[in-house]
Amino acid sequence: MEKRKLGKSNLEVSAIGLGCMGMSYGYGPAAEKKQMISLIRTAFEKGITFFDTAEVYGPFTNEELVGEALEPIRNQVVIATKFGFDTKNFPGLNSKPENIKRVVEESLKRLRTDVIDLLYQHRVDPEVPIEDVAGAVKDLIKEGKVRHFGLSEAGVNNIRRAHAVQPVTALQSEYSLWWREPEAEIIPTLEELGIGFVPFSPLGKGFLTGKIDESTEFDKTKKKKTVPRFSRENRKENQLLVDLINTKKKKK
């Protein structure tokens, strides 16, 4: 497995990371815990050292799963988690500094660690200046509870403002052949500032694998049911992209 450093930081991660959300949230009923622990540890054996979770996944249960699975190999892996949603009023947001610090204390316990390698703001909170958010994370870094600051789904203006207070190590956003919006402004800004880019859903939330088509029926608990690109009509239109990819693969 190749390794990469995120931006200009010293945070080195495997080129492929494992997003753990779907093991307990978002893609149907939670999977069996022992099986998922085995999956996470097998991923590590295959060379993956970058594991992603969040307070809101579950909520809470995904951090507990990741913490238990990685505890025996904690010093050999990078754990990324996130704050920013109001778990008592989901999908409300709460990035008030006092809440960030409370969430981090609880996440540390669930993750069975004394430091979070990469702490993302899960979504920008319009009620809290991004400078205050960055300042709170800066305090946590000084206290040794967090190593690196990240943003998720943030725009150029917020990236710049946050970075001016506390250097941002990584931005996480959706990016694939199906969703290339970051190429316009986000990626050039990250390159300018020396910030790493961590794409999520690189296979188009599974659509680019060819295993989803217009006839696929989604479990009512799956998040795909709320994504416009996954409406039956749009899947039919977007199938053209999957067909093109398959044609290119066959030519090789």
Side-chain angles (χ1 to χ4, degrees):
M1 178 70 70
E2 293 183 7
K3 297 289 185 67
R4 294 178 183 167
K5 286 191 176 181
L6 293 178
K8 293 180 179 178
S9 75
N10 62 356
L11 184 59
E12 186 176 74
V13 299
S14 52
I16 298 174
L18 181 60
C20 299
M21 179 188 78
M23 299 177 189
S24 44
Y25 169 81
Y27 294 137
E32 201 277 320
K33 188 175 182 180
K34 288 183 179 179
Q35 183 182 3
M36 292 301 99
I37 288 174
S38 176
L39 188 156
I40 291 171
R41 291 178 181 170
T42 299
F44 172 74
E45 292 168 4
K46 299 291 185 182
I48 291 177
T49 61
F50 191 21
F51 296 87
D52 182 279
T53 182
E55 174 202 31
V56 76
Y57 298 160
F60 314 129
T61 54
N62 198 245
E63 283 188 327
E64 291 170 351
L65 169 67
V66 171
E68 183 174 346
L70 297 179
E71 187 175 25
I73 49 174
R74 177 64 187 98
N75 294 331
Q76 301 174 67
V77 298
V78 170
I79 297 177
T81 192
K82 312 175 194 75
F83 67 86
F85 278 109
D86 185 345
T87 56
K88 295 181 180 179
N89 187 33
F90 186 80
L93 301 172
N94 187 347
S95 278
K96 294 177 181 178
E98 60 271 23
N99 191 59
I100 296 172
K101 295 177 180 181
R102 179 190 62 78
V103 167
V104 164
E105 294 293 343
E106 294 176 356
S107 290
L108 287 169
K109 293 176 184 176
R110 288 189 289 268
L111 292 168
R112 304 189 185 192
T113 185
D114 58 0
V115 62
I116 294 167
D117 299 302
L118 178 58
L119 180 68
Y120 293 106
Q121 181 188 33
H122 211 153
R123 293 292 184 272
V124 172
D125 185 344
E127 301 299 319
V128 181
I130 197 69
E131 290 84 357
D132 292 353
V133 174
V137 177
K138 185 173 186 175
D139 290 343
L140 289 164
I141 290 173
K142 287 180 179 178
E143 294 170 17
K145 296 175 181 178
V146 173
R147 289 197 173 107
H148 296 272
F149 177 35
L151 297 172
S152 180
E153 296 284 279
V156 169
N157 183 48
N158 280 308
I159 293 169
R160 291 186 181 280
R161 288 166 55 197
H163 191 68
V165 176
Q166 169 60 43
V168 177
T169 294
L171 176 87
Q172 183 184 82
S173 282
E174 182 179 355
Y175 183 54
S176 70
L177 289 173
W178 201 22
W179 184 261
R180 300 176 66 172
E181 188 174 293
E183 293 176 1
E185 296 183 346
I186 296 296
I187 292 177
T189 300
L190 302 182
E191 290 177 343
E192 174 195 338
L193 299 176
I195 298 172
F197 184 49
V198 179
F200 67 77
S201 297
L203 296 178
K205 302 181 186 293
F207 188 75
L208 298 179
T209 66
K211 294 183 178 180
I212 298 172
D213 59 28
E214 62 177 300
S215 66
T216 303
E217 295 291 340
F218 296 122
D219 183 285
K220 65 180 181 179
T221 64
K222 289 190 176 183
K223 293 180 70 177
K224 287 185 177 69
K225 289 184 71 69
T226 65
V227 178
R229 277 175 285 160
F230 281 95
S231 71
R232 193 178 300 277
E233 182 179 273
N234 287 337
R235 276 181 274 153
K236 182 177 180 179
E237 294 296 323
N238 287 320
Q239 186 64 36
L240 295 172
L241 175 58
V242 178
D243 293 342
L244 177 61
I245 293 171
N246 286 332
T247 299
K248 296 290 185 182
K249 285 168 64 179
K250 290 176 182 178
K251 287 182 178 180
K252 288 184 177 182

